[in-house]
Each structure stands twice: as structure tokens, then as C-alpha cells.
Amino acid sequence: MFGELAVLEDFDLSLRQGEFVSLIGPSGCGKTTLLKIFAGLIKDFSGELECQPHEESELFASVVFQDFAFFPWLNIFDNIKICLNSPIMDSKKNRLVSSYLERVRLLDFKDYFPGDLSEGMIQRANVARALASCSKVILMDEPFVHLDFLSRIQLQQLTLEILAGELRTVFFITHNIHEAVTLSDRVVLMSARPGKNVKEFLIDIPRPRDVNKIRENRRYLDLVGEITELLTVEVERTQRQFQQWIKNKHSVL
């Protein structure tokens, strides 16, 4: 329960180390609520959250939200560095930040301020910040939703390339079925609220993947079609729920 509203119900999900799992479902089904529970931002809930092995001394998860949470008075380099809470030497932090800025192709812009960069560049810096934290789990809540089509495609490809060499577990929320299938090892489909597991899809498409070429893959097309069909059913259920809520509200008035 979340307040007086049942957001999730009988929802069960396990994430394996090094796995990229996308969560997809109709608006309002509880996707972001679940991510906030994973991140420790919501603590008042019924159920269990377990991490194995559990190591209190290490940052469990870093989060990449939709919005760009940067200090406008700090340059990109310092915005990332200030978030590194690990007790490592300052020189090592500098190397770590530089390394990930280079991997997201922003090292030449390390002295720029957030207001000087495009949204695509800012979100690349956001990804670099999450990776530089060295957390074992990265939680991403529709991180590319505000980007134009070309920037989104480029950042999808960059994510594939960077994570190919990283043993990180990624929990990724998106409304974009093509994006989910392209990036993931598994896609989990949620029902209309209260959110439940509808079906899990194993994305058995070989890696490495190319964002453009994968669209020609027969298995890719089949998965996109199947997920689209089931998601449409849940979206229609959400619409019926809303219509019923409107009807009930008017009857009370």
C-alpha cells in the first residue's frame, strides 16, 4: 500500500548480477514507485526487499532520473566528483571521473557548466555520474524520455557499448518497447494498477547489438509485436479504470 492507494500487488522480481532488466507498463501502474523502493527513497511499504550479498559499506544503487539533477554553479566534472562518497584519494576520484567522462565522450567538455550543454550531453553526464559511483546496481527511470529521436538512439548505443564492459545490474524503466528490447536481457511487463507481473520476456538476441541493425532482426520484431499486443491490453484496462473513477466521482457529487 502507498498511503490509501494500492500501487503494487503480489509483485515479485529478482535481478541477477550483470543483468539488464527493463520494466514496461501503462502509466500509473507503479513502475517509478518500485524503482524508488529499490533506491531506498520509499521506506513505508509492505513486502520485502533483499540484496545478496548485503554489504553495508558499499553504495547499493545509483539512480538516473528523467530530470537533470545537477548543480548549475558547478562544472560537469565537479558535479560528478561531488557525488562520489567513497573514501578514496582525491587523485583517484579525478581519474575515475575523467575515465567515465571520456567513455560518454564528454571529457573535452568537463569544464563546461550544465547550462552550456545540450540535453543529450547532460544526460550522458548523468549516465557517467551513475557509473562513476561504482555502485553494483544502476536504476534508470526513463532517462532518455526528453531527448530528441537522434539523441535517444545515440545514447542507447552508447549505453550498450559502455555496459558491455561493466558487470553492473541495471533496472531500467521505459515506455518505449523498442528501447526495452534493444537494451535488455529481460523485459518485465506490468499490469494496470495495482501493478502485477503480467509476463517476462527473455531477450535472446545475441550481443553485441547495434541499435540500427537490430531492427532488421526477425526475433526482435516478434518480441516487439508480442509485448505491444499485451501492453495494449493493459493500457485499455487503465483507461477503463480511469473512466470508472470519473463515473464514481460524479455520482458522489
Side-chain angles (χ1 to χ4, degrees), residues 33-209:
T33 296
L34 185 64
L35 181 140
K36 288 181 177 179
I37 290 173
F38 285 174
L41 300 175
I42 294 178
K43 300 183 184 296
D44 184 15
F45 64 93
S46 299
E48 295 183 358
L49 176 64
E50 184 177 359
C51 177
Q52 295 179 335
H54 182 66
E55 301 176 28
E56 291 284 357
S57 60
E58 295 191 16
L59 178 64
F60 166 66
S62 55
V63 186
V64 181
F65 289 111
Q66 297 178 20
D67 299 320
F68 311 133
F70 284 98
F71 297 115
W73 57 87
L74 295 178
N75 62 34
I76 291 300
F77 187 95
D78 289 336
N79 259 293
I80 296 174
K81 183 178 176 180
I82 200 173
C83 295
L84 303 184
N85 295 320
S86 54
I88 59 177
M89 294 179 59
D90 197 62
S91 59
K92 187 174 181 180
K93 286 185 179 180
N94 290 340
R95 290 195 298 271
L96 190 64
V97 174
S98 295
S99 172
Y100 281 105
L101 280 174
E102 184 173 20
R103 296 188 73 177
V104 299
R105 301 165 192 167
L106 283 178
L107 187 57
D108 291 341
F109 297 88
K110 65 184 180 68
D111 296 323
Y112 282 61
F113 291 86
D116 299 327
L117 302 180
S118 68
E119 287 189 344
M121 297 170 80
I122 286 289
Q123 198 60 306
R124 277 152 57 191
N126 220 357
V127 172
R129 179 171 58 184
L131 292 168
S133 70
C134 295
S135 57
K136 296 180 178 179
V137 178
I138 300 175
L139 309 173
M140 307 181 82
D141 187 9
E142 295 194 77
F144 312 146
V145 69
H146 297 309
L147 303 181
D148 63 82
F149 177 77
L150 183 57
S151 295
R152 188 165 189 158
I153 292 294
Q154 290 173 339
L155 205 42
Q156 288 171 7
Q157 187 63 47
L158 191 62
T159 299
L160 285 171
E161 293 171 2
I162 291 174
L163 291 176
E166 300 271 349
L167 191 61
R168 310 285 188 106
T169 303
V170 180
F171 181 67
F172 189 91
I173 291 177
T174 181
H175 281 96
N176 189 308
I177 297 172
H178 293 273
E179 183 170 79
V181 175
T182 297
L183 297 176
S184 305
D185 298 306
R186 255 191 310 147
V187 173
V188 179
L189 177 64
M190 284 182 72
S191 69
R193 194 184 68 244
K196 302 177 183 179
N197 306 65
V198 173
K199 188 172 181 178
E200 292 190 5
F201 299 85
L202 176 65
I203 311 302
D204 49 355
I205 301 173
R207 294 181 186 272
R209 298 173 187 167

